[in-house]
Amino acid sequence: MPELPEVETVRRGLEPAMTGARFVAVEARRPDLRFAFPADFARRLSGQTVLSMGRRAKYLLADLSSGDVLVMHLGMTGRFLITAPDGGMLEPGEFANEVVEDSKHDHVVFRLSNGFTITYNDVRRFGFMDLVPRVGLETSRHFKAMGIEPLGNELSGETIERLFEGKAAPLKAALLDQGLIAGLGNIYVCEALNRAGLAPERPAGTLTEKQAGKLATVIREVLEEAVEAGGSTLKDYRHTDGSLGYFQHRFRVYDREGEPCTTPRCKGTIERLVQSGRSTYWCRACQH
DNA sequence: AATACCCCCTGAGTGC
DNA sequence: TGCACTCAGGGGGTAT
């Protein structure tokens, strides 16, 4: 269930197992995930070394010695399992209170020269993998229309004002628009709007300079907190007792319909509404 | 151009 | 035990 912080957590987990390693064998157990695997997927990966593991928005990027980039998206349910040379299994993410065997949905297996095996598991198969030449990656189909990186230097109040200028679309939709800011998902948009005191249905183009600045600040804040929470799980993602990491991170509004708002001095109650077919959680008492 | 809706897929949870 | 229905963290495509 990855949003940007979860993808970043997965990247950090995969990095030590994959960087510097060579693909010894690649197995795609079906012809497609959300999309067909690229032609000669296994052959183009085999023998290549992973130079580095990167991320852009919710996309994982493995830079290969061949000059290709292995682009991986986790969709809604994608996850990686790491099997160490000693046979221990790890999941580089915050959802692993325990490593659950679910080989039915193991769709891709990477066997690496360092003895690690990386298995991609995806129940709903909304994830995908692609191979794109590094030269021109930014203008390739996945990235050409992509908005700014919310944890990058581009995110600021001024940028948000410029991106949202004249927009009648509700803030919720504008923030979910990957062509404006790339990487915000349903949870963190709800959380950021609550922290910023902004109503999800408010037209995006109506933000004041001060409000846009506040929004930029809380977006960065909520994402960084979540990355930190995910990271804490990384230290103990095998046989964790549930007391660590992501699951201790309480969302303030997401999936909390009917609960009291946690904003200081606010007496409101969290409500759910549907926007563009997706649930929005918010407090009408403190978000305007 | 901008916005709204439907869809891909499987499984978990709920109510009867 | 089963069945019908709703919902799920993403995002691409199409209709308006």
Side-chain angles (χ1 to χ4, degrees):
Chain A
M1 322 166 170
E3 285 207 27
L4 186 150
E6 292 73 45
V7 175
E8 175 59 21
T9 299
V10 171
R11 187 195 69 77
R12 293 181 185 186
L14 289 176
E15 193 160 46
M18 293 190 73
T19 302
R22 184 168 34 82
F23 289 92
V24 170
V26 174
E27 191 183 342
R29 295 183 174 168
R30 46 176 302 127
D32 55 22
L33 293 170
R34 176 169 185 171
F35 308 117
F37 287 101
D40 299 321
F41 179 67
R43 189 183 59 72
R44 286 171 69 185
L45 284 177
S46 297
Q48 302 307 319
T49 299
V50 178
L51 303 179
S52 64
M53 289 296 301
R55 175 189 61 74
R56 171 77 168 99
K58 297 171 203 165
Y59 293 73
L60 287 165
L61 307 171
D63 225 318
L64 306 179
S65 51
S66 60
D68 280 337
V69 176
L70 171 59
V71 177
M72 299 176 282
H73 196 289
L74 302 174
M76 296 273 264
T77 53
R79 59 186 187 138
F80 284 97
L81 298 173
I82 302 173
T83 306
D86 67 6
M89 288 189 70
L90 312 170
E91 178 171 348
E94 68 286 32
F95 304 106
N97 279 353
E98 55 186 280
V99 175
V100 180
E101 285 287 339
D102 176 30
S103 57
K104 179 178 172 188
H105 302 296
D106 287 349
H107 302 309
V108 183
V109 180
F110 299 141
R111 296 190 198 286
L112 304 178
S113 57
N114 56 11
F116 280 89
T117 298
I118 311 292
T119 303
Y120 180 71
N121 180 288
D122 189 349
V123 171
R124 292 173 73 183
R125 302 202 307 273
F126 289 169
F128 58 87
M129 295 191 186
D130 199 1
L131 283 166
V132 180
R134 186 190 321 143
V135 176
L137 181 72
E138 292 298 317
T139 52
S140 68
R141 63 184 169 127
H142 303 300
F143 304 101
K144 64 174 188 249
M146 188 172 277
I148 64 167
E149 184 68 29
L151 286 177
N153 292 331
E154 311 96 305
L155 183 74
S156 67
E158 298 80 64
T159 309
I160 287 180
E161 279 192 279
R162 180 171 51 77
L163 290 172
F164 288 5
E165 186 180 359
K167 288 214 176 293
L171 278 174
K172 175 78 185 305
L175 289 168
L176 280 177
D177 185 341
Q178 304 296 300
L180 300 175
I181 301 171
L184 292 178
N186 204 34
I187 292 178
Y188 295 108
V189 166
C190 293
E191 295 298 310
L193 286 173
N194 176 255
R195 290 186 184 209
L198 294 167
E201 291 183 292
R202 176 155 162 191
T206 66
L207 291 186
T208 65
E209 180 181 344
K210 190 177 173 188
Q211 289 169 329
K214 175 70 174 171
L215 186 54
T217 299
V218 299
I219 286 170
R220 192 181 299 277
E221 184 181 276
V222 72
L223 293 178
E224 285 177 351
E225 280 178 23
V227 169
E228 204 171 322
S232 73
T233 310
L234 274 181
K235 298 174 199 149
D236 193 4
Y237 46 153
R238 187 179 188 190
H239 306 305
T240 62
D241 59 7
S243 65
L244 293 174
Y246 196 69
F247 282 122
Q248 82 180 100
H249 183 262
R250 290 279 291 154
F251 298 126
R252 296 187 188 177
V253 290
Y254 186 81
D255 204 22
R256 293 192 51 193
E257 183 180 16
E259 294 183 36
C261 180
T262 58
T263 299
R265 294 177 300 282
C266 180
K267 299 279 195 285
T269 299
I270 307 306
E271 297 176 42
R272 174 181 179 268
L273 75 95
V274 176
Q275 291 178 286
S276 333
R278 311 189 65 179
S279 293
T280 298
Y281 297 88
W282 72 297
C283 171
R284 71 172 63 244
C286 66
Q287 293 178 242
H288 304 287

